[in-house]
């Protein structure tokens, strides 16, 4: 009753109470380098059409942050005051996705997607204070609001900037522009409340701190260490997708080191033990991830399954030095089954992980003999991933004998990953057929591609010093 009476005197809770710039700080084009020409043309088309229908719309989030940092964004997201149903009526080439918060995908030619979300409202507990034993985990978030409310309820200040293409200005309600300049990672509002609303924000904080080389603000770090066990409430399917995103950055080691420094690693991967950032750096798992990232920079292709195996290898150490002699498949399955279930790893990838681990002793056998045919083993679909695991494990331990064995298996025609769907590469990759050859559709079709076309095309024309005559001349 008292709370209700107080709320009547205070009036409706407002985002003005929790953000430093309630009216929105405009950073005009004279004070930053972002220009419309740098933006995705399809995202600008979406904004222009929404604006013509009377809906205020901006570019938002990671694309603005990356552009301010001088990086090339992977995608461009749009936020608008139009609701999902209104967006659908404007764009026939669109679909609604999401349960916790509905967003609209506008689909362009070639399957390209521009993600459009609606301004969200600020949860009441952000202003009224948390009640005793109140569960703040946000299961649904379809309350719409204003631009400043939407900015105030986002995760970090650096992800809450809007870009207005009409006058090429940045709109900042939370101080994110200054934090980018200072390379500070700061949670919006009370970190403990923010992390209870969405525990994955703690994981993302550790990820962005390592990925962007930002300093994690002291209160945010304190909140993570206090609320780290809330990570157990996060959806395992959502976390697996986050892990896959990390594996594709080429900075998996640095991010996992950041997870160790914040205390999240022991919650997410208890089998890796309780270690801080420096201890993780010299740990077996840390060394394996560090080598894998370096291999990526050397134009080697890896897969998401390889990274999962590098982590789960901690559970099956015996297979790398012949510690288990009989029924190795049963041994591997018993060791990794519980963690695969907890991490929500799909059945197909579990089978591949089992194959990778079971085949490790085979790499210690290099000579031909009865029942021992290296060429047949090399033809197995799991060979590439199993070999990479053997090679990285040998390098991480400094095992000269195992490294020599790896060199034996590496000799010969270049091997390629079995599937593009799980592929991780830092460089553009040509499509290949099942035998590792460049795909026919990806080969140059013009025999003269790359030659100087100003020179004569035939030997006779070259001798005569003239270009060949065209037919019928």
């Amino acid at each position: 009753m008292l709370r209700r009476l107080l709320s009547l005197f205070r009036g409706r809770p407002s985002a003005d109470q929790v953000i430093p710039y309630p009216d929105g700080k405009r950073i005009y084009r004279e004070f930053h380098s972002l220009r419309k020409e740098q933006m995705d043309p399809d995202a600008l088309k979406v904004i222009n059409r929404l604006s013509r229908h009377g809906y205020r719309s901006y570019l938002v989030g990671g694309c603005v942050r990356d552009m301010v940092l001088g990086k090339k964004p992977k995608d461009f997201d749009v936020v608008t005051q139009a609701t999902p149903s209104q967006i659908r009526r404007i764009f026939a080439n669109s679909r609604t996705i999401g349960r916790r918060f509905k967003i609209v995908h506008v689909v362009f030619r070639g399957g390209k997607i521009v993600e459009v979300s609606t301004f969200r409202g600020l949860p009441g507990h952000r202003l009224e204070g948390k009640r005793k034993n109140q569960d703040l985990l946000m299961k649904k978030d379809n309350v719409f609001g204003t631009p400043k409310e939407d900015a105030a309820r986002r995760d970090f200040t650096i992800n809450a900037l809007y870009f207005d293409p009409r006058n090429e200005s940045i709109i900042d309600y939370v101080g994110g522009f200054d934090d980018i300049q200072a390379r500070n990672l700061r949670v919006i509002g009370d970190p403990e409340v923010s992390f209870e609303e969405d525990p994955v924000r703690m994981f993302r904080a550790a990820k962005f701190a390592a990925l962007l080389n930002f300093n994690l603000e002291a209160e945010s770090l304190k909140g993570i260490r206090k609320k780290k066990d809330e990570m157990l409430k996060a959806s395992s399917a959502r976390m697996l997708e986050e892990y896959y995103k990390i594996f594709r950055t080429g900075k998996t080691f640095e991010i996992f080191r950041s997870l160790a420094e914040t205390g999240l690693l022991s919650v997410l991967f208890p089998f890796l033990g309780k270690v801080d950032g420096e201890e993780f750096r010299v740990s077996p798992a840390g060394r394996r991830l560090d080598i894998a990232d370096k291999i990526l920079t050397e134009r080697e292709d890896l897969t998401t399954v390889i990274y999962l195996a590098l982590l789960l290898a901690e559970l099956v150490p015996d297979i790398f030095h012949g510690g288990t002699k009989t029924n190795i498949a049963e041994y591997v399955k018993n060791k990794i089954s519980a963690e695969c279930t907890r991490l929500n790893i799909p059945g197909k990838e579990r089978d591949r992980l089992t194959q990778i681990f079971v085949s490790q002793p085979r790499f210690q056998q290099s000579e031909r003999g009865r029942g021992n045919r290296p060429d047949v083993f090399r033809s197995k679909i799991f060979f590439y991933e199993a070999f990479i695991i053997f090679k990285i494990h040998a390098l991480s331990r400094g095992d000269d004998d195992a490294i020599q064995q790896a060199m034996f298996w590496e000799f010969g025609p270049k091997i390629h990953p079995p599937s593009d769907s799980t592929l991780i590469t830092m460089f553009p990759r040509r499509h290949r057929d099942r035998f590792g050859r460049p795909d026919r559709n990806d080969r140059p079709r013009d025999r003269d591609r790359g030659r100087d076309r100003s020179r004569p095309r035939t030997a006779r024309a070259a001798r005569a010093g003239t270009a060949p005559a065209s037919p019928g001349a």
Side-chain angles (χ1 to χ4, degrees):
M1 177 63 75
L2 180 60
R3 185 183 296 272
R4 189 175 299 173
L5 289 172
L6 289 172
S7 66
L8 291 174
F9 285 104
R10 283 199 302 259
R12 186 178 182 274
S14 170
D16 295 4
Q17 299 169 231
V18 295
I19 56 178
Y21 305 113
D23 295 326
K25 178 183 176 183
R26 287 262 182 180
I27 299 106
Y28 290 98
R29 69 194 310 272
E30 292 82 7
F31 302 100
H32 65 79
S33 60
L34 276 65
R35 299 293 181 265
K36 284 192 293 187
E37 291 75 19
Q38 301 168 286
M39 307 302 166
D40 182 83
D42 291 327
L44 293 178
K45 288 177 185 176
V46 171
I47 290 176
N48 289 337
R49 186 181 292 188
L50 288 167
S51 298
R52 287 200 302 271
H53 284 78
Y55 299 113
R56 191 189 317 181
S57 306
Y58 306 121
L59 290 172
V60 68
C63 65
V64 182
R65 176 200 69 220
D66 288 345
M67 295 291 281
V68 174
L69 286 168
K71 298 175 180 288
K72 183 179 180 180
K74 292 182 179 179
D75 45 42
F76 289 80
D77 296 336
V78 174
V79 65
T80 179
Q81 63 184 155
T83 64
S85 58
Q86 291 168 333
I87 299 168
R88 288 294 311 277
R89 283 197 292 270
I90 295 172
F91 297 96
N93 55 324
S94 65
R95 59 174 179 259
T96 305
I97 68 164
R99 285 183 291 180
R100 195 174 73 116
F101 180 71
K102 295 186 184 301
I103 58 177
V104 176
H105 280 175
V106 180
V107 185
F108 288 86
R109 188 184 301 272
K112 177 184 173 182
I113 291 172
V114 174
E115 190 173 286
V116 186
S117 60
T118 305
F119 294 123
R120 289 172 284 183
L122 192 65
H125 60 254
R126 284 285 191 107
L127 303 166
E128 298 170 354
K130 179 186 174 183
R131 301 177 187 177
K132 189 176 180 180
N133 298 324
Q134 183 181 3
D135 184 8
L136 303 184
L137 185 66
M138 299 180 71
K139 301 176 178 66
K140 286 190 176 181
D141 193 14
N142 287 313
V143 177
F144 304 129
T146 63
K148 62 182 169 186
E149 288 175 338
D150 183 78
R153 53 97 40 232
R154 288 180 178 267
D155 50 8
F156 311 111
T157 59
I158 63 172
N159 290 340
L161 298 175
Y162 301 125
F163 178 76
D164 188 347
R166 295 176 302 172
N167 54 13
E168 297 183 328
S169 66
I170 296 172
I171 308 170
D172 184 3
Y173 289 96
V174 295
F177 188 79
D178 292 335
D179 280 338
I180 290 177
Q181 307 304 315
R183 305 195 76 83
N184 285 330
L185 185 64
R186 188 189 312 273
V187 174
I188 298 172
D190 184 341
E192 293 185 22
V193 172
S194 179
F195 296 149
E196 287 190 52
E197 289 175 349
D198 185 0
V200 179
R201 288 172 178 168
M202 292 184 279
F203 179 87
R204 287 164 57 82
K207 180 181 80 170
F208 283 131
L211 205 55
L212 302 175
N213 195 24
F214 273 33
N215 298 311
L216 189 54
E217 183 254 344
E219 285 300 312
S220 301
L221 178 58
K222 181 180 176 182
I224 291 174
R225 288 174 173 166
K226 184 175 180 179
K227 295 292 181 180
K228 62 183 180 181
D229 289 335
E230 293 287 316
M231 284 299 310
L232 299 174
K233 297 180 180 179
S235 161
S236 58
R238 184 181 175 194
M239 288 306 302
L240 187 63
E241 286 301 315
E242 289 288 344
Y243 299 144
Y244 287 162
K245 289 177 184 178
I246 284 180
F247 298 157
R248 297 182 186 281
T249 63
K251 293 187 176 181
T252 302
F253 166 71
E254 291 296 338
I255 295 172
F256 269 72
R257 186 178 176 184
S258 181
L259 290 172
E261 195 63 44
T262 56
L264 293 174
L265 187 67
S266 60
V267 178
L268 296 170
F269 299 93
F271 57 88
L272 296 180
K274 291 186 177 182
V275 292
D276 61 23
E278 186 58 29
E279 290 169 337
F280 179 76
R281 185 181 69 82
V282 297
S283 69
R287 290 197 298 268
R288 290 194 295 268
L289 293 180
D290 191 20
I291 292 169
D293 288 344
K294 289 174 181 175
I295 284 176
L296 273 178
T297 64
E298 294 168 358
R299 306 187 81 89
E300 286 278 0
D301 295 337
L302 301 183
T303 66
T304 54
V305 176
I306 287 175
Y307 272 101
L308 288 173
L310 291 174
L311 295 169
L312 294 173
E314 204 76 7
L315 298 171
V316 287
D318 294 344
I319 63 170
F320 294 97
H321 47 77
T324 177
K325 299 295 184 184
T326 58
N327 209 355
I328 186 172
E330 195 66 28
Y331 166 80
V332 169
K333 288 179 182 179
N334 289 340
K335 288 290 186 179
I336 71 172
S337 177
E339 283 301 323
C340 286
T341 300
R342 187 182 66 84
L343 295 170
N344 200 36
I345 297 174
K348 184 178 179 180
E349 294 187 5
R350 290 193 200 193
D351 293 341
R352 182 60 56 81
L353 287 166
T354 301
Q355 291 172 326
I356 288 171
F357 289 135
V358 168
S359 64
Q360 291 306 304
R362 180 68 179 80
F363 288 100
Q364 297 291 350
Q365 307 166 16
S366 57
E367 297 180 359
R368 285 179 175 270
R370 187 174 181 181
N372 183 14
R373 297 178 59 189
D375 52 335
V376 174
F377 182 43
R378 286 174 64 93
S379 68
K380 300 293 185 182
I381 192 170
F382 57 82
F383 176 83
Y384 179 86
E385 291 163 314
F387 167 71
I388 291 293
I389 293 298
F390 179 79
K391 177 181 174 181
I392 290 175
H393 191 270
L395 292 170
S396 69
R397 294 178 60 205
D399 186 336
D400 291 337
D401 291 339
I403 292 171
Q404 289 295 324
Q405 290 295 111
M407 291 176 65
F408 166 82
W409 290 102
E410 202 164 22
F411 182 76
K414 186 172 176 59
I415 318 159
H416 298 280
S419 170
D420 282 350
S421 62
T422 61
L423 182 70
I424 302 172
T425 181
M426 295 291 102
F427 301 92
R429 181 172 181 266
R430 293 176 66 181
H431 296 291
R432 297 180 179 273
D433 63 17
R434 60 191 294 257
F435 301 105
R437 300 174 304 201
D439 186 75
R440 179 175 298 177
N441 295 326
D442 201 33
R443 298 172 189 167
R445 297 183 180 180
D446 190 334
R447 291 180 303 173
D448 299 318
R449 183 172 294 176
R451 71 186 294 272
D452 185 356
R453 293 172 184 265
S454 64
R455 300 175 61 184
R457 294 182 60 134
T458 66
R460 180 177 296 178
R463 288 193 297 270
T466 61
S470 59

